[in-house]
Amino acid sequence: DKRREYISGFTGSAGAAVVTLSKARLWTDGRYFLQANEELSEDWALMKDRQKGTPTITDWLVKTIKEEKPNAETKYIGYDPNVVSISTEETWKNSLEKTGVKLAPINDNLIDIVWGEDKPPAPCDPFIFLNIEFTGKSAKEKIEELRYDMKNKAGGAEISLITALDDIAWLLNIRGSDISYNPVGIAFVAVTMTETIICTNIEQCLGQDIQEHFKKERIMVRPYETFNDTIIELSNSIATAKPKIWLDRTSCNSAVYATAKAHGKIVDNKIMFPIALRKAIKNSVEINGMKESHIRDGAAIVRYLSWLEEQMKDGNDGAEGILDEVAVADKLENLRSEIQHYKGLSFETISSSGPNGAVIHYAPTRGNCRKLSKSEMYLCDSGGQYLDGTTDITRTVHF
């Protein structure tokens, strides 16, 4: 949802924005120090995470809040439990335990309130489903494997909650485009011994193909915002007073966890949730798809580098005009788009000339980027999403 980007201006893929009554700070790691220094306004200060002398977020907050509210009997740190994982929340609580500062969950995200009607609408592209040609296994088979694990590895768990978007995409053999460069859709899934329910934007499930897929695999669709109600309903429908609920503590948010804990008994956190492991062990169809997608993608890269070399023979004023970092990235994307099963880029192309190659995760800006030169090295880090695999390749060249 890019809330951190909206409030701070920082566009990097990792970091945390912290705002108190008088201060605004951004924590990020060494990949983004240069970028953050360029993007943050004067209202913000960069905190170089994991560097000597940089306090943790909680340590800094405790000190700052006590300075700002010295006479308050109880001091609070607000957070949105819908976007904070269980493990993160517990880390914060452990750090704050003896400080006199408490966590305060705020379900109405404060940045959304500031953003108001100017916030862009959520994407609404329809889901697609992958057939056995690409997955090697039906969604029904994967769901039955999960049920086997619930019965035999989780002590007879009666409900599983799947909250990681890549786990959902894999389990149900669906793909989406709700998040840039990631083939996933925004959703939650609940699985019992007899039911599979996906809570998502219903408008994204209206296509005939996806409806037939869900019907064939016995997957019910409900609105995204009803997931908490679905947990309560499923818990109440099971004969056990407090049914065993299995979830992945590393990805489940604390709001969902709180609902599950209130209406069920959470499976011991030492029992690893199984989907990530099953997803990691590829079957023969998936392995072949990974190989084939890399072969096709590699051919596009070779075509690109060949084109680039030809263009740069006489400097950067090539046959197709002045070549800058964005123009050549566009060319590469165009070449990839001609490949079978292509669905888009796997991340924003890092196309960087000269000193920009030293900026980790550098992203050129259209109309304000560096031109390629025969006297400078050029780095290109890019990848593609295909129905049968995902690629990521980096090459550094000079002309």
Side-chain angles (χ1 to χ4, degrees):
D1 288 329
K2 299 187 177 180
R3 294 184 176 104
R4 186 196 60 225
E5 178 180 328
Y6 169 77
I7 203 71
S8 71
F10 173 64
T11 62
S13 64
V18 179
V19 179
T20 72
L21 293 175
S22 64
K23 296 179 174 68
R25 298 287 186 269
L26 180 101
W27 272 257
T28 190
D29 61 59
R31 294 172 296 170
Y32 298 104
F33 292 165
L34 291 172
Q35 181 178 340
N37 276 323
E38 290 181 4
E39 293 181 337
L40 292 174
S41 73
E42 59 186 20
D43 298 312
W44 289 81
L46 171 62
M47 305 295 280
K48 295 183 176 181
D49 200 16
R50 283 166 280 186
Q51 299 292 300
K52 188 176 181 179
T54 300
T56 64
I57 290 175
T58 48
D59 287 347
W60 181 86
L61 272 170
V62 168
K63 181 175 182 293
T64 303
I65 291 171
K66 286 182 176 179
E67 289 171 353
E68 292 181 343
K69 303 273 284 186
N71 300 320
E73 186 173 332
T74 307
K75 302 169 180 66
Y76 296 99
I77 296 172
Y79 71 104
D80 181 351
N82 296 287
V83 297
V84 171
S85 70
I86 304 163
S87 55
T88 299
E89 183 188 60
E90 288 179 347
T91 299
W92 289 350
K93 282 182 177 177
N94 291 337
S95 298
L96 297 172
E97 190 173 2
K98 297 178 182 178
T99 65
V101 177
K102 295 184 178 181
L103 289 175
I106 304 170
N107 284 299
D108 293 324
N109 190 282
L110 299 183
I111 293 176
D112 287 350
I113 294 171
V114 174
W115 209 335
E117 295 181 358
D118 293 333
K119 184 172 184 176
C124 194
D125 294 329
F127 288 136
I128 63 170
F129 81 94
L130 294 189
N131 59 36
I132 219 93
E133 172 192 354
F134 298 110
T135 66
K137 192 177 288 186
S138 70
K140 187 176 181 180
E141 289 176 279
K142 294 177 181 179
I143 292 166
E144 287 305 317
E145 287 177 345
L146 174 60
R147 287 174 175 147
Y148 174 87
D149 291 336
M150 290 165 64
K151 183 178 179 180
N152 295 286
K153 294 183 180 180
E158 293 146 301
I159 303 171
S160 278
L161 305 179
I162 301 93
T163 57
L165 303 189
D166 54 328
D167 287 356
I168 291 169
W170 178 84
L171 181 69
L172 304 189
N173 286 345
I174 59 175
R175 296 294 184 268
S177 55
D178 288 350
I179 300 175
S180 298
Y181 312 114
N182 291 270
V184 297
I186 304 295
F188 290 111
V189 167
V191 175
T192 70
M193 285 300 171
T194 57
E195 293 181 286
T196 302
I197 300 169
I198 180 172
C199 295
T200 187
N201 183 342
I202 289 180
E203 292 183 14
Q204 294 176 279
C205 305
L206 297 179
Q208 186 174 351
D209 286 349
I210 199 71
Q211 285 189 343
E212 289 177 358
H213 170 62
F214 282 162
K215 184 177 181 181
K216 179 182 177 183
E217 308 287 15
R218 298 179 182 175
I219 300 165
M220 292 181 288
V221 182
R222 292 185 180 180
Y224 180 79
E225 59 274 9
T226 66
F227 187 58
N228 276 358
D229 293 336
T230 297
I231 296 171
I232 297 168
E233 179 188 319
L234 291 175
S235 299
N236 291 338
S237 69
I238 293 170
T240 312
K242 271 203 164 190
K244 279 190 173 182
I245 300 178
W246 204 12
L247 47 79
D248 187 345
R249 296 170 65 88
T250 63
S251 62
C252 181
N253 72 52
S254 61
V256 167
Y257 179 76
T259 301
K261 191 175 180 181
H263 296 273
K265 183 180 178 181
I266 306 297
V267 170
D268 186 343
N269 61 8
K270 294 178 183 177
I271 301 174
M272 182 180 174
F273 198 67
I275 293 179
L277 184 57
R278 286 193 179 274
K279 179 162 64 73
I281 302 172
K282 304 301 181 186
N283 61 45
S284 59
V285 172
E286 291 172 316
I287 291 169
N288 185 65
M290 292 171 74
K291 291 178 178 178
E292 291 297 321
S293 64
H294 276 80
I295 290 170
R296 297 193 309 272
D297 190 77
I301 291 289
V302 171
R303 289 179 64 196
Y304 171 63
L305 293 175
S306 176
W307 169 85
L308 196 57
E309 184 176 38
E310 192 65 30
Q311 291 290 307
M312 293 296 292
K313 276 184 177 178
D314 300 316
N316 67 354
D317 195 1
E320 298 186 22
I322 297 290
L323 299 182
D324 62 25
E325 295 164 330
V326 170
V328 294
D330 288 345
K331 178 68 176 182
L332 177 54
E333 183 175 1
N334 180 259
L335 290 171
R336 275 200 170 99
S337 70
E338 298 173 1
I339 298 175
Q340 185 183 24
H341 303 321
Y342 177 76
K343 299 302 292 182
L345 298 175
S346 56
F347 54 95
E348 188 173 14
T349 298
I350 302 168
S351 174
S352 47
S353 184
N356 290 340
V359 180
I360 303 172
H361 289 194
Y362 168 79
T365 304
R366 193 175 301 277
N368 184 29
C369 60
R370 197 172 185 87
K371 296 175 183 177
L372 272 64
S373 168
K374 291 179 76 171
S375 64
E376 293 182 343
M377 286 192 289
Y378 168 69
L379 178 145
C380 184
D381 183 354
S382 67
Q385 294 282 13
Y386 304 92
L387 292 176
D388 53 352
T390 301
T391 68
D392 178 351
I393 181 170
T394 308
R395 290 294 180 269
T396 304
V397 300
H398 63 83
F399 310 101

